[in-house]
Each structure stands twice: as structure tokens, then as C-alpha cells.
Amino acid sequence: FDRVLSSNQWAKVLTVRHPFERLLSGYLFACRSTDPDIRRRHCVNFTNASKPPTFEEFVSALSPRAIERNPHFRPQSSFCALEERLASYTHILNLSSPDFSHRAQELLLNHGVDETVVLRYFPTDTMHSTGSQPVLTCGHCTHASSRLAQFLTPEVARRCVQLYQPDFRLFGFNEGYAS
């Protein structure tokens, strides 16, 4: 891994997501799933709950230790020693950006990936708009970006900024809450 990161012969691509969206997406997947097994295994601090917690209850109960143990909620900055290795990446794509799919397609095509492969993973015909942001339609998608206003309160946003301060700092995400 270190050899690839230090090589000029590789394009090193990192995809990140705004912590508000990522936390909501993880919550929707892990805690609001209709599959009780998913809730039991992934809904941090509520694995034995008979009903899903509200987003506010969930975020209030999170601790740095609890989120470190679950990849759905662990800060992105803690993956692959990104604090030390971020400068080694040649491209950083923001999944929360409205042009993410287009930028990913362009990057892959410019690096010689066959168009049929690119369109399989970043299909343009399965995109639909949710206001200003396109969203892929898929089985695992939670459409968190279009649902933020429904779930994110100023208090939850403040707690999220506390829990994910390393991500906000390292990737330059906006800490402001926009309803």
C-alpha cells in the first residue's frame, strides 16, 4: 500500500462524504432498516432496542469509542492513516458534491477505464434529481443528502461536528447547519 501511495505511476483516488450525510446515511441503513438483524448488528448503542431510536436519540447516545468500532460511523480520517497520508492521494472526490458522478466518470475514463465498466458503476441513466443533487437509485442507497433537512437539527449538527471534528478539519467540510 505504501509503495503504491508513493508511486507516480498510480492514480490514488479517495472518496469522502460530508459527515452530516454520512452519519444520517449510516443511521438510516443501520437503525431504520426493516431487517432486525441489520439493526441488531449495526445500530450502535441501540442493538437490543425493540424499536429504532430517533436520529436525535441516536446521535445523542454516540460516543467517540462507539463510532470507532463501527465502520458505518467511524470518522473517515481514521481510515488508512489519512491524517498522515492525505497528500499522497492524487484525486479526492466528495460523494456529497452534486457533480460527484460526473467527476468520477471523467476521472476513470481519463485513466483508461473502459466506458462500459465506468457506466456500470456510475450509470447516468439511473440518476434522478432530488432538487440540486443527483442521486443513484440502488438497493443500499439511503438518499441521505435529500433527507438532511428532515433529520438534521442545529443540536444534532453541533454534536456531529464534535464527533467528527477530525473529518471536518482534514477535508475542509463546512460545519454550518443549513436547513
Side-chain angles (χ1 to χ4, degrees):
F1 182 71
D2 287 326
R3 194 171 62 226
V4 170
L5 274 183
S6 61
S7 171
N8 291 332
Q9 296 179 353
W10 291 86
K12 282 84 61 177
V13 181
L14 175 66
T15 301
V16 296
R17 190 174 195 182
H18 192 288
F20 293 164
E21 279 187 31
R22 189 163 176 270
L23 184 60
L24 178 58
S25 181
Y27 163 79
L28 292 170
F29 168 75
C31 299
R32 298 285 293 270
S33 173
T34 56
D35 182 340
D37 189 49
I38 289 176
R39 283 201 316 269
R40 216 177 359 269
R41 289 183 300 144
H42 300 294
C43 190
V44 175
N45 293 336
F46 291 92
T47 55
N48 294 320
S50 59
K51 65 180 182 108
T54 66
F55 188 52
E56 192 164 352
E57 291 169 335
F58 174 73
V59 173
S60 294
L62 284 178
S63 68
R65 183 178 172 153
I67 62 175
E68 277 297 324
R69 291 191 311 251
N70 188 312
H72 289 96
F73 303 107
R74 187 177 331 152
Q76 297 161 102
S77 55
S78 70
F79 295 129
C80 303
L82 286 175
E83 295 265 359
E84 298 84 35
R85 295 178 168 158
L86 187 63
S88 300
Y89 286 84
T90 52
H91 306 279
I92 300 174
L93 300 178
N94 183 349
L95 187 62
S96 302
S97 172
D99 66 347
F100 169 77
S101 186
H102 172 75
R103 289 192 60 215
Q105 287 176 349
E106 187 176 82
L107 176 70
L108 293 169
L109 291 170
N110 287 340
H111 282 84
V113 177
D114 185 86
E115 185 176 17
T116 57
V117 173
V118 172
L119 292 176
R120 182 180 336 146
Y121 293 100
F122 297 96
T124 54
D125 61 338
T126 59
M127 301 293 285
H128 66 278
S129 178
T130 57
S132 64
Q133 185 163 357
V135 177
L136 282 172
T137 55
C138 67
H140 186 77
C141 292
T142 60
H143 307 293
S145 61
S146 64
R147 300 173 73 185
L148 272 175
Q150 178 186 350
F151 288 92
L152 194 68
T153 65
E155 296 79 26
V156 168
R158 278 192 290 279
R159 179 73 178 134
C160 182
V161 169
Q162 287 175 340
L163 289 167
Y164 293 95
Q165 189 57 48
D167 284 358
F168 282 97
R169 183 179 31 76
L170 187 63
F171 304 118
F173 290 122
N174 182 351
E175 295 181 11
Y177 165 73
S179 58

